[in-house]
Amino acid sequence: MLQKSAPIGVFDSGYGGLTVLKELKAYLPQYDFVYLGDNARTPYGTRSFGVVYEYTLQAVKKLFEINCHLVILACNTASAKALRSIQQVDLPVIAPQKRVLGVIRPSVEKVIEVTQNGHVGVVGTVGTVASESYPIELAKWGGGKVVSTVQEACPMWVPIVENNEAGTPGADYFIRKNIENILEKDKDMDTLILGCTHYPLLMASIEKFLPGKVSVLSQGAIVAEKLGDYLKRHPEIEKECSKNATVNYYTTESVDVFESRAGYFLGEELKARSIHL
Ligand code: DGL
């Protein structure tokens, strides 16, 4: 009998989550994945709590409808502003046996493995930084190892990537400015979390302006590794995920526009379908 596909859902506000999906595909190639980019309503980084929560919940429900048992919020802003409510308020009512996970907790777990002196920095969207999710989670799950968390909102970094300006002098002006700002907040920072889907595409410039002692954590590989651990620890969820090595892509915007830009984030070309939330 043919097994019904039950892909792992990967949600993002637009293209950025493809940087996470790229690593998930590489690390867990046997699983089926479905990517949903809410390109019609991107960016989420500047939107209010209520709006990000509403949009994210719609996306999660849609992914459940297409038979996902497990959904990863690849978007930091959605993880920061919507995940907790979805896990605690919505899931018990709409799908108690399903799971929604984010990108903040795995990043916190990695920080604890990496930091030597407990001085941590976070760069992210205005929304992620304002939510204080990283400092709260680092204090809660840091096992006393994190002594200080400083944050810097970098509102220009997403438009730099989206407009294909990475590596240009104009882009470097803003990246340098934000890096100098965060170092001013804590010159002892030894670990920096790139708390936004787009920032790995700016890695070369970010590293150029940071002292060599700072470890820069890019989330895609971290989320993939931690998801692998999670699936081992939760066989009841793992057995629900189908394994035919397929990936399907959906966007809420024009398919043609999505396909023409997505390859830059995923590292390979793709074919997408349109979806309404
Ligand atoms: N995906 C978002 C994040 O990781 C960045 C883009 C946006 O603002 O929607 O926070």
Side-chain angles (χ1 to χ4, degrees), residues 11-17 41-47 74-78 103 124-125 128 158 162 195-199 219:
F11 170 67
D12 183 55
S13 55
Y15 298 111
R41 302 188 294 195
T42 202
Y44 280 17
T46 46
R47 294 191 191 277
C75 178
N76 278 265
T77 309
V103 288
T125 64
T128 296
V158 166
E162 298 255 330
C196 176
T197 48
H198 290 56
Y199 298 177
Q219 285 177 322

